């Protein structure tokens, strides 16, 4: 019996032609019969670090009877010289979330995965208290179950007032131990009771993990890292997946 939550995540590799650049995390999101891969915007392009991949590749489970079988699935990032992923802006500037549509017909017929949907986003009357327990599902430093190609989860808690834009940005803070490779991972909260709208995926998608938040005044020799992270509010997905 495999936790459905683990099947929502996909390991992401970035390439420039045939040269492997980086690895990251991502997850599936579906809306109106369309399927998207969600990850961080800086996975697709990151100007300060001169990170300019032209395609990504995700690892898919292709045999429901043998989870050790997997296959790489390549997704181009440009068509006719134009980027085909979607990214967003808000009042504070760029949002570090990107989505790219996956052609369902191109997937192997036996592909095994689960996808979040708008039903898994937080309702207007739901509340998330500071200190609420969360999970971050991803591939820190590329680490995962290499036999079954499964992600790992890290425990986190809400570390800032949920619903407020921390320092005016479109994210909230989590307190969790994360590493490179976790960018683009879903940040989720378990529903208290199995809700019909969530089906066999009883989790609420709260955010998309972006990066560790550091303090510019920290003494690198004396002070430990804060262990705080930015998670962009997941409701940006409603904007990015509109027709």
């Amino acid at each position: 019996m495999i936790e459905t939550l683990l099947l929502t995540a996909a390991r992401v590799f970035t390439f420039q032609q045939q040269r492997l650049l980086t690895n990251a995390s991502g997850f599936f999101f579906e809306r109106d019969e369309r399927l998207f891969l969600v990850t961080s915007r800086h996975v697709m392009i990151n100007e300060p670090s001169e990170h300019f991949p032209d395609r990504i590749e995700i690892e898919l489970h292709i045999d429901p009877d043998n989870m050790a079988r997997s296959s790489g699935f390549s997704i181009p990032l440009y068509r006719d010289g134009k980027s085909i992923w979607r990214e967003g802006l808000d009042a504070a500037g760029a949002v570090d979330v990107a989505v790219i549509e996956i052609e369902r017909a191109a997937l192997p017929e036996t592909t095994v995965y689960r996808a979040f949907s708008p039903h898994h986003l937080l309702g207007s009357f739901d509340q998330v208290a500071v200190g609420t327990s969360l999970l971050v599902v991803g591939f820190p430093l590329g680490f995962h179950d290499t036999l079954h190609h499964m992600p790992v989860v890290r425990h986190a808690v809400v570390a800032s007032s949920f619903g407020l834009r921390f320092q005016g940005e479109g994210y909230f803070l989590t307190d969790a131990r994360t590493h490179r490779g976790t960018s683009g991972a879903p940040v989720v909260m378990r529903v208290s009771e199995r809700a019909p709208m969530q089906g066999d995926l009883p989790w609420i998608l709260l955010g998309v993990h972006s990066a560790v938040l550091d303090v510019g005044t920290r003494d690198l020799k004396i002070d430990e890292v804060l262990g705080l992270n930015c998670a962009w509010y997941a409701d940006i997905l409603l904007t990015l997946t509109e027709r």
Side-chain angles (χ1 to χ4, degrees), residues 32-181:
D32 300 330
E33 305 300 323
R34 293 172 299 147
L35 181 65
F36 299 88
L37 177 76
V38 182
T39 188
S40 294
R41 189 258 186 191
H42 73 258
V43 173
M44 305 294 200
I45 186 171
N46 190 10
E47 295 88 348
S49 66
E50 298 184 347
H51 174 66
F52 301 111
D54 54 28
R55 68 182 179 93
I56 59 174
E57 187 172 297
I58 58 176
E59 192 171 28
L60 298 175
H61 293 97
I62 57 172
D63 187 345
D65 298 318
N66 182 4
M67 299 306 284
R69 292 189 60 200
S70 71
S71 177
F73 184 79
S74 184
I75 305 173
L77 297 181
Y78 295 87
R79 183 178 297 124
D80 299 327
K82 296 182 179 180
S83 60
I84 59 174
W85 72 84
R86 302 180 182 188
E87 57 185 83
L89 296 172
D90 65 12
V95 174
D96 193 20
V97 177
V99 305
I100 190 165
E101 189 165 359
I102 298 174
E103 296 184 20
R104 285 183 186 266
L107 295 175
E109 291 185 2
T110 55
T111 300
V112 182
Y113 68 93
R114 292 292 188 277
F116 295 105
S117 73
H119 297 307
H120 292 93
L121 301 180
L122 199 67
S124 58
F125 297 104
D126 295 323
Q127 294 184 342
V128 180
V130 66
T132 294
S133 178
L134 310 173
L135 294 181
V136 183
V137 189
F139 301 83
L141 300 179
F143 183 79
H144 64 296
D145 180 343
T146 56
L147 174 60
H148 302 103
H149 315 286
M150 291 289 182
V152 296
V153 301
R154 302 306 299 257
H155 180 256
V157 298
V158 177
S160 65
S161 181
F162 191 87
L164 289 182
R165 296 160 55 88
F166 188 79
Q167 294 183 341
E169 301 285 348
Y171 56 75
F172 62 98
L173 298 187
T174 65
D175 184 348
R177 188 178 182 187
T178 59
H179 299 80
R180 286 182 301 108

Side-chain angles (χ1 to χ4, degrees), residues 146-227:
T146 56
L147 174 60
H148 302 103
H149 315 286
M150 291 289 182
V152 296
V153 301
R154 302 306 299 257
H155 180 256
V157 298
V158 177
S160 65
S161 181
F162 191 87
L164 289 182
R165 296 160 55 88
F166 188 79
Q167 294 183 341
E169 301 285 348
Y171 56 75
F172 62 98
L173 298 187
T174 65
D175 184 348
R177 188 178 182 187
T178 59
H179 299 80
R180 286 182 301 108
T182 313
S183 296
V187 179
V188 299
M189 176 181 73
R190 185 183 289 275
V191 294
S192 56
E193 297 180 358
R194 186 176 293 270
M197 298 300 285
Q198 271 81 17
D200 68 346
L201 194 58
W203 298 87
I204 294 176
L205 177 63
L206 293 184
V208 182
H209 172 81
S210 173
V212 172
L213 182 69
D214 207 351
V215 178
T217 57
R218 179 173 68 88
D219 188 308
L220 300 181
K221 294 182 178 180
I222 300 175
D223 302 320
E224 296 183 4
V225 295
L226 287 175

